[in-house]
């Protein structure tokens, strides 16, 4: 699939430097810097839930900055990117706004794609939520909304990012969420697939807030067993797919929700991890993720879908080029034309994140 005619906004990338900025995985990165521990040995010793989530920890122990992204995006005509928060830590109620400030200071646009928008970290249930939103907005005019780490899986051997199984449904979260509506900010919903009904309820309660479903709801184990029992056999994986389809269709009925065709190559979906430095072939990706993308097209339509590479998180499984080509082939194979590709790879992101066109 030739991508040359597209003008692309990558609506989901991460930038980090765990050696100089506070991240949940900064201690791991510093360990590898100062102790000569072979990374493959450390991987074997790591908890299973972490091994299965990351696939290969290499991207997490090194900085990933604009020049690294430029190298990885070779072959894909990306003009702008949207940075999504990633496990920034710090002290004080407005510390997470430092990530927004840090990202805005990176040398985007210098032989790299431009920074089009920033999604920061904040929790509507936390004290000082409104003050933190103000701090994010002060940190950069490109701040457009937040993501809260609410992904939680009932299989205890699958990594959860919160200890609260119903984080989206607590009264404190729901009451705080109103601050987003007042400021015209969006919410990135990254959940595992069984949490999709919670996102639907949230969208119905706050129809004025744009909710961006990350990674089509991350159906962990869809392509192979993960955790203790998730996706353990073809029958279980079929049930997982059917439930995901129904729940995604119900979510799509909420007009304030858009869905991000991203993260479909996350290892936690059960992908086999290829040899480090190689990428799963495009035809294999098309066959594997095709049912997800085509159902999303039918449920949301191209004008409510947007593409993101989720790099470097997806890097152990694929390349940005293979990811984009696979999505483009699936879209065109499902009857999508040039206008649909332009919408998914640029138009929806431009509207949702208010990304300005380059001068």
């Amino acid at each position: 699939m030739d991508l040359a005619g597209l003008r692309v906004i990558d609506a989901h990338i991460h930038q980090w430097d765990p050696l100089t900025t506070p991240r949940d995985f900064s201690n791991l990165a510093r360990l590898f810097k100062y102790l000569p521990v072979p990374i493959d040995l450390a991987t074997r010793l790591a908890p299973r839930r972490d091994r299965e989530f990351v696939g290969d920890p290499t991207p997490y122990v090194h900085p990933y900055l604009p020049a690294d992204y430029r190298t990885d995006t070779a072959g894909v005509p990306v003009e702008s990117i949207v940075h999504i928060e990633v496990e920034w830590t710090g002290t004080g109620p407005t510390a997470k706004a430092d990530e927004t400030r840090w990202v805005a200071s990176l040398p985007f646009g210098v032989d790299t794609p431009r920074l089009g928008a920033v999604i920061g970290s904040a929790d509507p249930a936390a004290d000082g939520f409104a003050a933190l939103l103000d701090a994010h907005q002060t940190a950069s005019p490109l701040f457009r909304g937040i993501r809260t780490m609410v992904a939680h899986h009932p299989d205890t051997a699958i990594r959860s990012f919160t200890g609260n199984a119903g984080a989206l449904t607590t009264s404190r979260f729901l009451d705080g969420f109103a601050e987003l509506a007042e400021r015209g900010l969006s919410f990135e919903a990254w959940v595992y697939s069984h949490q999709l009904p919670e996102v639907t309820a949230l969208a119905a309660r706050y129809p004025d807030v744009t909710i961006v479903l990350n990674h089509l709801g991350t159906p962990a184990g869809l392509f192979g067993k993960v955790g203790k029992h998730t996706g353990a056999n073809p029958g279980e994986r079929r049930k997982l797919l059917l439930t995901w389809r129904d729940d995604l269709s119900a979510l799509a009925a909420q007009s304030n929700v858009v869905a991000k065709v991203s993260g479909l190559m996350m290892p936690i979906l059960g992908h086999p991890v290829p040899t480090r430095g190689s990428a799963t072939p495009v035809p294999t990706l098309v066959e594997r993720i095709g049912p997800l993308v085509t159902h999303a097209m039918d449920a949301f339509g191209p004008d409510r879908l947007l593409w993101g590479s989720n790099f470097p998180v997806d890097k152990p499984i694929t390349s940005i080029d293979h990811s984009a080509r696979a999505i483009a082939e699936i879209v065109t194979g499902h009857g999508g034309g040039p206008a649909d590709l332009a919408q998914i790879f640029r138009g929806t992101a431009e509207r949702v994140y208010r990304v300005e066109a380059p001068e």
Side-chain angles (χ1 to χ4, degrees), residues 6-95:
L6 291 175
R7 297 172 55 215
V8 176
I9 294 173
D10 188 339
H12 199 107
I13 81 160
H14 304 293
Q15 296 279 275
W16 59 56
D17 185 350
L19 301 176
T20 65
T21 62
R23 310 277 174 173
D24 283 351
F25 48 90
S26 286
N27 288 338
L28 175 67
R30 289 167 188 150
L31 172 67
F32 280 103
K33 179 180 180 181
Y34 295 111
L35 292 178
V37 180
I39 195 166
D40 291 328
L41 172 61
T43 300
R44 290 194 295 271
L45 297 175
R48 175 181 174 181
R49 64 174 63 88
D50 293 336
R51 296 198 311 269
E52 289 188 336
F53 188 84
V54 304
D56 177 3
T58 304
Y60 293 86
V61 299
H62 300 291
Y64 193 75
L65 300 169
D68 303 298
Y69 178 78
R70 178 188 61 210
T71 299
D72 284 343
T73 198
V76 182
V78 176
E79 290 186 353
S80 302
I81 65 93
V82 178
H83 168 84
I84 308 297
E85 65 84 24
V86 55
E87 299 186 324
W88 186 279
T89 60
T91 58
T94 62

Side-chain angles (χ1 to χ4, degrees), residues 154-166:
D155 187 332
T156 57
I158 290 177
R159 187 179 184 195
S160 291
F161 289 79
T162 177
N164 185 352

Side-chain angles (χ1 to χ4, degrees), residues 7 35 103 118 150 153 173 230 258 313:
R7 297 172 55 215
L35 292 178
V103 170
V118 178
V150 296
H153 204 282
F173 184 96
T230 303
V258 298
V313 175

Side-chain angles (χ1 to χ4, degrees), residues 306-326:
L306 58 165
W307 173 79
S309 70
N310 195 34
F311 253 56
V313 175
D314 284 17
K315 192 169 185 175
I317 303 300
T318 191
S319 64
I320 295 178
D321 180 68
H322 283 197
S323 171
R325 290 178 188 277

Side-chain angles (χ1 to χ4, degrees), residues 60-261:
Y60 293 86
V61 299
H62 300 291
Y64 193 75
L65 300 169
D68 303 298
Y69 178 78
R70 178 188 61 210
T71 299
D72 284 343
T73 198
V76 182
V78 176
E79 290 186 353
S80 302
I81 65 93
V82 178
H83 168 84
I84 308 297
E85 65 84 24
V86 55
E87 299 186 324
W88 186 279
T89 60
T91 58
T94 62
K96 289 186 179 295
D98 291 340
E99 182 181 25
T100 295
R101 187 174 296 105
W102 177 79
V103 170
S105 73
L106 295 176
F108 283 105
V110 181
D111 298 325
T112 70
R114 300 165 56 251
L115 179 63
V118 178
I119 298 298
S121 174
D123 182 357
D127 292 336
F129 177 59
L132 177 53
L133 293 181
D134 292 341
H136 276 299
Q137 291 183 301
T138 299
S140 173
L142 297 178
F143 176 70
R144 298 290 185 261
I146 66 163
R147 185 171 74 161
T148 310
M149 290 299 217
V150 296
H152 185 281
H153 204 282
D155 187 332
T156 57
I158 290 177
R159 187 179 184 195
S160 291
F161 289 79
T162 177
N164 185 352
L168 288 170
T169 65
T170 67
S171 58
R172 282 180 61 86
F173 184 96
L174 293 172
D175 291 345
F177 203 84
E179 296 287 348
L180 297 177
E182 292 180 7
R183 290 166 169 79
L185 297 172
S186 64
F187 179 72
E188 303 277 317
W190 177 47
V191 296
Y192 288 116
S193 57
H194 66 279
Q195 296 174 281
L196 285 172
E198 295 178 15
V199 182
T200 302
L202 180 65
R205 177 162 176 159
Y206 286 103
D208 294 333
V209 176
T210 297
I211 295 177
V212 184
L213 177 67
N214 287 185
H215 313 332
L216 294 186
T218 311
L222 187 62
F223 306 131
K225 181 178 180 295
V226 294
K228 292 180 179 179
H229 50 72
T230 303
N233 56 62
E236 291 298 317
R237 294 193 285 274
R238 176 65 178 167
K239 287 169 57 179
L240 180 62
L241 176 64
L242 293 177
T243 301
W244 171 86
R245 284 172 57 93
D246 289 346
D247 289 344
L248 194 81
S249 294
L251 178 60
Q254 304 298 321
S255 61
N256 56 320
V257 179
V258 298
K260 197 176 285 186
V261 185

